[in-house]
Amino acid sequence: MARRWSPGSRRWVVLTALVIVSAASAFAHDLRGTLTGADALSPSARATPARWRGAFWEVPNGALAITAPRSNVERDVAVVLTGASVAESRQPVTVPVEGGRCRPGTVLLSPGTTLTLDNQDLLAHEFYVVRAGGDERVVAAEVTSSRTRRQVSLPSAGSYELRDLRQPTFRCWLVAGPGQGRVLQPNATGAFTATGLEDGPYTVKAYFEGVERASAEVTVEGREASVTLAIGAAPAAPGAAPAAAPAAPEENHRRRRGH
């Protein structure tokens, strides 16, 4: 038999719900942040393998303009928040790959987390993983066809690079370690927001190319808090090898003519 609610009972339920929501809102606050110095970020160079040099212009040739690669704060910088009311992030992580790049350029995850590579490009990729600054593969190369996915798992905590045998200029950084809380997505101006936070201390970190570029402590207490991270200058990643110098114009020209 269905239970009937009297008008008075319904009003009591509605009022109780409003009180609960209001109480929760009173203890939930927002953190607003800004990244500065993004204009100074410069993507690291990577030497093109010899067998691919004929397909990539390395020096000006009088016909094609050569432009230096530029970073994009919205696409290349990752921000992570840890602290009082932020649970450890252990859910599977999906990384979209499109336009020959992954988004974001640095992926943060906890050790043992399943990483899904979602190839949204029209061409196949042949992804593999190495430790940052090295070339030994810790995840073997495997073809990921267009519009398909591949799941990988990193062997342990640390910094890694996701590379592609079919596209040598492709680079994506993976950082696995404890304390990977809530990932925040900055917009094109470097602004980011975390909502629904409880009072307490928090840590905000920003990563570029797998390297922590800035870190700040902030306390959320009874109001909206703000934080600014300066990410323009940072040391190179530990163990990173210097990029090889490009071939001289004459040598490069001979290579393309097959001499």
Side-chain angles (χ1 to χ4, degrees):
M1 185 177 192
R3 181 178 179 180
R4 295 183 178 179
W5 293 85
S6 66
S9 297
R10 286 196 294 270
R11 284 194 297 271
W12 181 85
V13 170
V14 172
L15 289 174
T16 301
L18 290 175
V19 170
I20 293 175
V21 171
S22 298
S25 300
F27 293 100
H29 310 289
D30 295 344
L31 172 65
R32 301 188 183 279
T34 303
L35 301 174
T36 63
D39 292 343
L41 295 177
S42 178
S44 60
R46 181 181 173 192
T48 306
R51 67 190 181 94
W52 286 98
R53 286 175 182 159
F56 292 87
W57 293 107
E58 298 171 340
V59 294
N61 60 15
L64 297 177
I66 304 299
T67 58
R70 293 182 299 175
S71 63
N72 180 305
V73 65
E74 187 176 14
R75 180 184 59 205
D76 297 334
V77 177
V79 179
V80 63
L81 174 74
T82 58
S85 61
V86 180
E88 182 78 1
S89 178
R90 294 190 178 276
Q91 70 272 20
V93 175
T94 299
V95 180
V97 176
E98 58 181 351
R101 306 192 66 165
C102 63
R103 293 188 309 166
T106 294
V107 180
L108 306 171
L109 65 164
S110 298
T113 300
T114 299
L115 178 66
T116 300
L117 306 175
D118 182 11
N119 182 14
Q120 299 180 3
D121 284 334
L122 297 177
L123 301 175
H125 292 280
E126 196 167 350
F127 296 120
Y128 65 99
V129 178
V130 300
R131 289 192 180 275
D135 290 310
E136 182 181 356
R137 299 178 189 178
V138 297
V139 174
E142 183 179 307
V143 175
T144 304
S145 302
S146 173
R147 310 299 186 185
T148 64
R149 295 184 171 192
R150 177 191 177 190
Q151 291 186 329
V152 301
S153 182
L154 302 178
S156 59
S159 295
Y160 301 84
E161 285 185 36
L162 175 66
R163 297 180 181 176
D164 181 12
L165 280 179
R166 302 193 176 197
Q167 188 174 340
T169 56
F170 177 92
R171 298 182 83 178
C172 179
W173 282 262
L174 314 172
V175 178
Q180 308 296 20
R182 187 189 303 182
V183 176
L184 309 177
Q185 179 65 50
N187 63 17
T189 65
F192 58 89
T193 304
T195 60
L197 300 178
E198 299 175 2
D199 287 353
Y202 294 86
T203 300
V204 187
K205 295 182 178 182
Y207 292 81
F208 175 70
E209 293 195 344
V211 179
E212 181 183 317
R213 303 299 296 250
S215 177
E217 306 292 329
V218 59
T219 299
V220 175
E221 187 175 3
R223 58 183 175 81
E224 181 179 278
S226 61
V227 63
T228 299
L229 297 178
I231 60 175
E250 295 80 6
E251 182 184 358
N252 208 43
H253 180 67
R254 287 196 298 271
R255 282 175 180 161
R256 287 182 172 80
R257 294 184 60 186
H259 297 300

